[in-house]
Amino acid sequence: MTEEALPGGFVNVVVRVGATVRRTPSPNAEFAHRVLAHLERHGWPGAPRFLGTDDSGREILSYVDGHVAWQPHPHSTRSLVAVARLLRAFHDLTAGTELAGDREVVCHNDLSPKNTVYDSDLMPVAFIDWDLAAPGERVHDVAHVCWQYLALGPGVTDPAATGRDLRAIADAYGLSDLSALLDTVLWWQDRCWRGIEAEASAGVAHAVRLRALGVVREIQDQYRWTAGNRSLLEG
Ligand SMILES: Nc1ncnc2c1ncn2[C@@H]1O[C@H](COP(=O)(O)OP(=O)(O)O)[C@@H](O)[C@H]1O
Ligand SMILES: [Mg+2]
């Protein structure tokens, strides 16, 4: 069967082979596979299935048919609400399980349009790229969703409208503490640029590449923008 390279990944070389996807396993793969197996046992359709390991040591996942938004595109409120509901369903399936340990839930930790498969109406079907999944708090993933799907930063043209969408996400998820949510968006942005900076300084190839593309400065600008527009976003 032929291998077809899939666009959009930044860390991994990901190929499609028929109805499957092959990826180099991450150091966290064992945990991520347990999470995917747990979601499969519950019949949750919002993640690929883990199907095993191939002869080259790559993980085999089911290919989720649809469109991955690896280039930025605006989201309708309806699509954002659907992302929040999909996230809530996933979190609720992990709450109180051994996988969540002593934390509230299992977090995906990298939710973004690039890691979401959409249907032809641009409604979310599944989250992919579970490499960073780990026990965590609900607000962590909700804040990451707000940052990434709303593209919080200087590119936002109507902060009041974006604030309404942010509150629609929080409502659809069922999160009421908007102040904690904004604190956590800022925490992610801060931690993300510092992480890239530290890895780039240590010579990690993908971080060097990101820094050369101006991503560190871009995220610093997003942090400043979010801090400066906080009251409009909280409403
Ligand atoms: N299970 C899947 N179903 C469909 N497409 C996938 C799947 N897994 C990955 N892809 C495609 O491969 C790209 C890169 O995969 P991803 O798992 O996000 O890798 P990376 O760690 O490099 O970001 C995605 O943007 C998507 O286009
Ligand atoms: Mg990805």
Side-chain angles (χ1 to χ4, degrees):
M1 187 106 46
T2 55
E3 301 203 352
E4 177 200 341
L6 292 169
F10 209 85
V11 178
N12 250 296
V13 178
V14 182
V15 297
R16 177 177 178 182
V17 183
T20 71
V21 161
R22 313 292 170 105
R23 293 169 98 250
T24 319
S26 80
N28 187 41
E30 200 263 330
F31 182 79
H33 296 163
R34 281 167 56 208
V35 173
L36 293 179
H38 175 77
L39 297 175
E40 178 175 9
R41 273 197 301 278
H42 287 270
W44 192 62
R49 301 295 177 230
F50 172 60
L51 303 171
T53 304
D54 73 10
D55 293 341
S56 336
R58 297 178 301 185
E59 59 186 14
I60 309 173
L61 301 167
S62 62
Y63 177 80
V64 183
D65 207 16
H67 162 79
V68 173
W70 49 276
Q71 280 164 339
H73 75 86
H75 283 71
S76 64
T77 306
R78 203 166 74 92
S79 165
L80 294 166
V81 162
V83 166
R85 290 192 179 137
L86 199 59
L87 174 59
R88 177 67 196 245
F90 147 56
H91 278 173
D92 285 354
L93 284 176
T94 66
T97 65
E98 191 204 319
L99 291 165
D102 57 0
R103 310 293 289 276
E104 282 179 354
V105 291
V106 172
C107 283
H108 178 288
N109 284 320
D110 198 14
L111 292 174
S112 78
K114 284 189 185 68
N115 287 332
T116 306
V117 180
Y118 295 84
D119 68 15
S120 52
D121 296 326
L122 294 184
M123 293 295 277
V125 172
F127 299 131
I128 57 172
D129 199 351
W130 292 75
D131 285 349
L132 298 177
E137 310 310 321
R138 292 175 182 272
V139 69
H140 289 167
D141 270 343
V142 182
H144 205 279
V145 161
C146 290
W147 172 26
Q148 292 292 317
Y149 295 72
L150 297 171
L152 297 180
V156 168
T157 49
D158 184 347
T162 297
R164 286 192 291 278
D165 276 344
L166 181 138
R167 298 190 296 279
I169 291 171
D171 268 2
Y173 182 90
L175 197 86
S176 53
D177 190 344
L178 292 175
S179 176
L181 179 58
L182 266 299
D183 283 343
T184 311
V185 173
L186 290 165
W187 173 83
W188 270 120
Q189 291 170 329
D190 189 60
R191 155 182 223 280
C192 183
W193 78 256
R194 285 180 198 281
I196 297 169
E197 182 62 49
E199 286 191 350
S201 299
V204 178
H206 81 266
V208 170
R209 228 164 5 122
L210 285 172
R211 188 170 63 180
L213 288 168
V215 172
V216 168
R217 228 165 316 128
E218 198 181 307
I219 301 172
Q220 287 171 331
D221 289 345
Q222 292 176 337
Y223 177 95
R224 273 190 287 272
W225 183 91
T226 305
N229 286 277
R230 185 175 178 136
S231 52
L232 266 178
L233 294 170
E234 273 186 50

